[in-house]
Amino acid sequence: MSLDAKTVLRTARLARIGLAPAEVEALQKDMGSIIDWVEQLNELDVSDVPPMIGTGLAKPRLREDRITDGERPDDVLSNAPDREGPYFTVPKVVE
Amino acid sequence: MSTPFDYTLASARDALRARKISARELTEAHLSAIERLDGSLNSFITTTPENALKAADAADATLAKGEGGELCGLPLGIKDLFCTNGTRTTAASNILRDFVPPYESTVTSNLLRDGAIFLGKLNLDEFAMGSGNLNSAFGPAINPWKRNGSDEQLVPGGSSGGSAAAVAAGLVLGATGTDTGGSIRQPAAYTGIAGIKPTYGRCSRFGTIAFASSLDQAGPMARNLQDCAILLRSMAGFDQRDSTSVDTPVPNYEAALNRGVKGLRVGIPKEYHADGMPAEIEALWQQGINWLRDAGAEIKEVSLPHTKYGLPTYYIAALAEASSNLARYDGLRFGARVKADSLDAMYEASRAAGFGEEVKRRILLGTHVLSSGYYDAYYLRAQKVRTLIQQDFLKAYEDVDVLLTPTAPSSAFALNEKPSDPVQMYLNDVFTVPASMAGVPALSVPAGLDGQGLPLGLQLIGKFFDEETLIAAGHVLEQAASFTHRPTIHAGNPA
């Protein structure tokens, strides 16, 4: 079943991905068919099954609470698409 | 040795130590092969010849003193998903087209520590999302193999398609791959090479660009399992900077190679007899069973009853994680930005322009299954089914030590045979995804050619952190198959 355009657009908005009208149409069909396909999981009774969150192989561990980022502002900024001095720039958000 | 391209990683290592060849000669030979052949393979996104030659000279100086790490002077390729300090790392995406990491991933820094020489960064599906290397912003990587009597371009598999193509064509002695649902094993099978997806937590994920964090695992790809074993020993190990890294000693995998399979219990999962699987693949699987039995293994049928749910569960879990991981590409701190008047418009325009079609589709599906009203129905349910899939394996391992299956349900397909339905495309991973979901290790070895002359692989799946048994059993298959075929495009072929 095809998803409605409203659902696709709402999801795109949540994911912050701009879509052209032709893309919306293609996604309605593709996302719809993938969602139909995953519906087969409803055949299973999972009421007493715990969810698997990761593989559980690594033991949770504590580390000393200290700054480990190494004071490397130039490295951090080195890939900024736009910057002013030691700052990232963004479009104006406060009037 | 007739040409430098007859070496395996292991024999090149020995030749370097014996000073039968220099690291510079070996590196130059491989760089010139890349120059000569990669126009037809597109396996590299970025080559780093100057750095490689500098590293080769340093390796020669070290080797001359009788010193040097396990990989000293050996030319490798790195999947362009591993951050390399000062070398562009793209994830085959436009959004990272100009991204130059100021740090090194743990896996690549381990390889450098042991003296490896990097020839460059290898092509892949964008953000490792795909099974054919067709979703790359730098164009598809091409399989060096051709069908008998045909010049048609075939996919090398994916997502580690550039790694597979480069290794198979002899452009590098080995490569790194990453495997989230089959991205090392399926391309290895499609190109006639070996590849290992280790246990989840064996190789650090630090500095590896994330797709689905609970599944992503780095591993080696090379011409045989001895070479993979050498690479894995270097790549693996505990890392404080990855919270899922497991602190358990790294064995000498190479030493496990000749252990044999006498008395080993090998499970054959009955659910892997997929509908519509080519008879040749069924026959090869049976051949693999016979090989292991002849070498002294005990063969048992086992059941992994939730196998058919592996793929749909995978696509929910992996895409949900991907939607979250890829939220960081916002055009703000790194990556490409498309200017716009508001912050939201900038995000939307940057992500619209920066991501390819499949990546957008997966982010949107992942966002959908996590969104309010759908979370329990899709994501939570998938996590529960994942528990059932893992239990299938753990139960099977009460009776057997390893599982033997085909790696993929077909051989490599042509670029223009890509299914238009995404679900059909996802089916390529039907045999590889369940082991990823369970977190257990698995490998693929080349086992024969199909009627069209294309390689086919067999997969072995093992117990947590028992890569050694996998390598031993895989080596028995390798020896029995004695796969020495070379692809049409190979560095060692006469020009």
Side-chain angles (χ1 to χ4, degrees):
Chain A
M1 204 183 65
S2 188
L3 280 185
D4 59 58
K6 217 178 105 189
T7 306
V8 172
L9 286 166
R10 187 180 65 99
T11 309
R13 173 73 187 143
L14 287 171
R16 299 292 189 274
I17 294 179
L19 293 177
E23 287 182 290
V24 176
E25 216 170 293
L27 283 162
Q28 284 179 255
K29 190 173 142 280
D30 287 347
M31 288 174 65
S33 78
I34 295 167
I35 285 164
D36 286 346
W37 172 65
V38 302
E39 294 289 346
Q40 57 180 296
L41 298 187
N42 292 328
E43 296 164 13
L44 291 167
D45 177 8
V46 291
S47 40
D48 294 325
V49 181
M52 178 171 160
I53 300 157
T55 50
L57 293 170
K59 298 201 174 48
R61 47 183 196 267
L62 297 172
R63 62 168 173 80
E64 199 187 330
D65 185 15
R66 61 186 170 87
I67 296 168
T68 57
D69 68 359
E71 285 273 346
R72 295 165 61 190
D74 288 338
D75 285 345
V76 172
L77 283 155
S78 63
N79 281 284
D82 192 42
R83 62 184 275 195
E84 270 183 42
Y87 302 105
F88 296 109
T89 62
V90 291
K92 200 170 174 184
V93 279
V94 182
E95 287 304 324
Chain B
M1 284 289 164
S2 45
T3 81
F5 308 107
D6 295 323
Y7 286 117
T8 60
L9 187 92
S11 67
R13 172 191 61 184
D14 300 342
L16 282 167
R17 285 182 184 168
R19 306 311 288 148
K20 286 187 189 146
I21 189 167
S22 69
R24 186 166 186 105
E25 287 168 307
L26 198 60
T27 302
E28 279 178 345
H30 284 89
L31 287 171
S32 85
I34 294 167
E35 190 96 336
R36 200 153 43 85
L37 299 178
D38 208 43
S40 351
L41 296 174
N42 197 30
S43 66
F44 280 86
I45 290 176
T46 305
T47 54
T48 51
E50 297 83 13
N51 289 350
L53 290 172
K54 229 182 283 169
D57 289 339
D60 280 326
T62 308
L63 287 160
K65 288 187 271 180
E67 295 168 5
E70 189 65 13
L71 302 173
C72 190
L74 295 168
L76 304 180
I78 301 300
K79 186 178 185 178
D80 206 14
L81 201 65
F82 293 87
C83 285
T84 39
N85 193 357
T87 299
R88 178 173 82 140
T89 300
T90 69
S93 181
N94 277 322
I95 211 157
L96 289 178
R97 186 171 278 270
D98 301 313
F99 177 64
V100 179
Y103 66 102
E104 190 78 30
S105 82
T106 297
V107 163
T108 49
S109 76
N110 289 346
L111 293 168
L112 292 170
R113 171 201 65 204
D114 292 338
I117 294 174
F118 297 166
L119 303 188
K121 306 298 292 287
L122 294 161
N123 206 346
L124 66 152
D125 283 294
E126 184 178 1
F127 287 105
M129 297 182 188
S131 311
N133 211 130
L134 292 162
N135 306 324
S136 166
F138 296 83
I142 306 299
N143 196 325
W145 292 82
K146 306 284 181 196
R147 290 177 180 143
N148 293 333
S150 158
D151 200 34
E152 195 164 20
Q153 291 187 325
L154 308 177
V155 302
S159 67
S160 310
S163 302
V167 170
L171 305 185
V172 291
L173 286 169
T176 60
T178 63
D179 191 314
T180 303
S183 282
I184 286 174
R185 292 160 282 161
Q186 182 255 23
Y190 276 18
T191 56
I193 65 167
I196 303 177
K197 180 207 89 78
T199 308
Y200 182 80
R202 180 73 286 188
C203 293
S204 168
R205 292 177 301 110
F206 177 80
T208 310
I209 294 172
F211 160 17
S213 303
S214 77
L215 297 154
D216 296 343
Q217 185 56 211
M221 301 172 78
R223 292 211 265 290
N224 61 42
L225 283 177
Q226 183 180 14
D227 293 359
C228 284
I230 294 167
L231 290 172
L232 180 59
R233 187 183 184 190
S234 173
M235 294 166 71
F238 176 63
D239 183 8
Q240 292 280 4
R241 290 174 298 185
D242 174 0
S243 63
T244 60
S245 175
V246 179
D247 192 0
T248 175
V250 179
N252 179 358
Y253 296 111
E254 196 182 358
L257 205 65
N258 292 309
R259 275 187 194 174
V261 292
K262 201 151 284 197
L264 192 76
R265 299 165 305 165
V266 178
I268 309 301
K270 61 180 185 191
E271 289 81 6
Y272 280 54
H273 293 281
D275 292 339
M277 186 155 74
E280 291 173 302
I281 293 182
E282 279 282 355
L284 186 79
W285 191 9
Q286 187 56 51
Q287 178 70 70
I289 294 170
N290 297 344
W291 284 332
L292 291 176
R293 186 188 286 123
D294 292 347
E298 183 191 342
I299 308 294
K300 289 183 166 188
E301 188 184 78
V302 296
S303 176
L304 304 171
H306 298 93
T307 296
K308 70 173 269 210
Y309 302 106
L311 271 178
T313 307
Y314 170 80
Y315 275 90
I316 293 174
L319 274 45
E321 292 182 25
S323 74
S324 171
N325 273 327
L326 273 66
R328 75 190 69 183
Y329 304 103
D330 55 6
L332 207 162
R333 292 153 302 151
F334 49 83
R337 170 185 298 193
V338 175
K339 289 207 157 112
D341 292 338
S342 71
L343 193 59
D344 277 337
M346 185 193 84
Y347 292 150
E348 290 185 352
S350 299
R351 289 162 65 80
F355 292 138
E357 186 190 355
E358 179 66 18
V359 172
K360 286 183 200 172
R361 181 156 55 217
R362 294 194 187 196
I363 292 173
L364 289 171
L365 275 159
T367 305
H368 182 71
V369 301
L370 289 176
S371 64
S372 168
Y374 296 102
Y375 182 92
D376 285 0
Y378 292 117
Y379 187 60
L380 188 61
R381 174 168 287 267
Q383 285 183 307
K384 291 178 174 181
V385 180
R386 191 173 171 190
T387 299
L388 297 174
I389 292 166
Q390 190 185 48
Q391 284 170 356
D392 281 357
F393 282 95
L394 300 183
K395 190 148 180 295
Y397 290 142
E398 290 170 10
D399 293 321
V400 298
D401 303 301
V402 295
L403 302 165
L404 176 72
T405 79
T407 307
S410 72
S411 57
F413 52 92
L415 264 64
N416 60 12
E417 290 163 1
K418 180 194 173 187
S420 57
D421 175 4
V423 173
Q424 283 304 312
M425 190 69 191
Y426 297 166
L427 293 178
N428 276 298
D429 299 328
V430 63
F431 298 141
T432 48
V433 147
S436 297
M437 298 302 292
V440 294
L443 60 75
S444 178
V445 283
L449 298 179
D450 71 4
Q452 304 173 304
L454 296 180
L456 296 172
L458 286 173
Q459 174 179 233
L460 286 161
I461 308 171
K463 296 178 179 174
F464 289 130
F465 295 103
D466 193 13
E467 285 81 1
E468 289 167 283
T469 299
L470 279 187
I471 289 167
H475 190 53
V476 167
L477 293 175
E478 270 183 333
Q479 285 178 312
S482 59
F483 187 93
T484 52
H485 312 278
R486 272 187 177 178
T488 309
I489 302 176
H490 189 281
N493 291 351

